[in-house]
Amino acid sequence: AQSVTQLDSHVSVSEGTPVLLRCNYSSSYSPSLFWYVQHPNKGLQLLLKYTSAATLVKGINGFEAEFKKSETSFHLTKPSAHMSDAAEYFCVVIPMGGGATNKLIFGTGTLLAVQP
Amino acid sequence: NAGVTQTPKFRVLKTGQSMTLLCAQDMNHEYMYWYRQDPGMGLRLIHYSVGEGTTAKGEVPDGYNVSRLKKQNFLLGLESAAPSQTSVYFCASKTGTETGELFFGEGSRLTVL
């Protein structure tokens, strides 16, 4: 069965330090992977996506993620956190053949806190 | 450029009451979805639609009904609200491509007393 696991429910960093949000997936085939961000009282917004092209994917606001098939991981990173990065982040996997219907699989989210 | 608009944004119901949430998108997207978001559980799919006049059940459909009479609108109904349906509801839409981006509304916060 396909699944996605976000390894940390909460992450706290200081402003200006690196951010690492971890995501592991389980999929029989090479999946498409997404990171979405949700700011308080807002809907989710796409940060970046991997769709079998370059394994290092750059997104908005300085975020990037690397697809590592051997580790079944798609961790999200940013070199230097900003106060505005405080939000909840969701890793999403779309197994092959599942994108258009109901088979988008959401992780349970990682709440990122940024301390001044 | 509105994107995905949900109404109402907030609602309080008593157990047994009914209500409808409206989702409207102006991007001519084929696919539309209703999710609920509960703490620690991520987003769970309630119902979805792959085109005008079509609907299908998602992961947690019980207690909800939907309709897609027009391509741009996707309605979520609760016939007899229960406290377990207290949640934040999100509508989303996307194009027909498999890896197309989901566009979300800002959510509707429903409390059932």
Side-chain angles (χ1 to χ4, degrees), chain A residues 14-28:
Chain A
S14 298
E15 191 174 21
T17 64
V19 175
L20 170 64
L21 305 182
R22 299 182 293 166
C23 173
N24 284 97
Y25 69 91
S26 168
S27 176
S28 302

Side-chain angles (χ1 to χ4, degrees), chain A residues 3 5 9 13-14 20 25-26 32-34 40 45 47 51 61-62 69 72 81-82 87 99 103 105 116:
Chain A
S3 66
T5 303
S9 58
V13 301
S14 298
L20 170 64
Y25 69 91
S26 168
S32 294
L33 293 155
F34 299 67
Q45 178 188 12
L47 266 183
T51 57
N61 300 334
K69 187 174 181 178
T72 61
H82 191 272
K103 297 193 186 303
I105 301 170

Side-chain angles (χ1 to χ4, degrees), chain A residues 51-114:
Chain A
T51 57
S52 75
T55 56
L56 182 62
V57 181
K58 293 188 185 298
I60 61 172
N61 300 334
F63 284 93
E64 63 181 35
E66 185 172 8
F67 174 70
K68 292 187 176 180
K69 187 174 181 178
S70 61
E71 299 177 8
T72 61
S73 69
F74 190 58
H75 300 336
L76 182 70
T77 61
K78 183 174 181 178
S80 177
H82 191 272
M83 296 297 290
S84 61
D85 295 328
E88 190 158 21
Y89 293 79
F90 292 91
C91 184
V92 181
V93 62
I94 303 179
M96 273 183 56
T101 58
N102 64 333
K103 297 193 186 303
L104 287 80
I105 301 170
F106 283 80
T108 51
T110 298
L111 190 61
L112 175 65
V114 182

Side-chain angles (χ1 to χ4, degrees), chain B:
Chain B
N1 192 5
V4 178
T5 303
Q6 294 180 228
T7 52
K9 289 185 167 41
F10 301 93
R11 185 73 188 268
V12 178
L13 289 177
K14 294 181 179 178
T15 298
Q17 288 184 319
S18 64
M19 75 157 295
T20 300
L21 298 177
L22 170 63
C23 177
Q25 54 97 0
D26 62 2
M27 296 171 283
N28 202 35
H29 285 167
E30 290 293 331
Y31 299 91
M32 296 187 74
Y33 307 81
W34 275 107
Y35 291 91
R36 60 177 289 172
Q37 183 178 31
D38 302 290
M41 302 189 75
L43 273 74
R44 293 181 291 169
L45 182 66
I46 305 171
H47 286 281
Y48 65 99
S49 168
V50 299
E52 181 178 316
T54 74
T55 63
K57 294 180 180 179
E59 182 187 358
V60 289
D62 293 344
Y64 305 95
N65 56 76
V66 288
S67 65
R68 184 118 180 253
L69 299 179
K70 294 183 178 181
K71 185 177 184 179
Q72 64 268 32
N73 295 336
F74 194 30
L75 279 65
L76 178 71
L78 286 71
E79 291 186 347
S80 180
S84 60
Q85 294 177 304
T86 294
S87 187
V88 182
Y89 292 85
F90 286 96
C91 177
S93 70
K94 68 188 292 285
T95 66
T97 57
E98 183 162 284
T99 57
E101 175 184 353
L102 271 176
F103 289 84
F104 284 85
E106 294 201 340
S108 298
R109 185 175 296 274
L110 175 65
T111 301
V112 183
L113 303 175

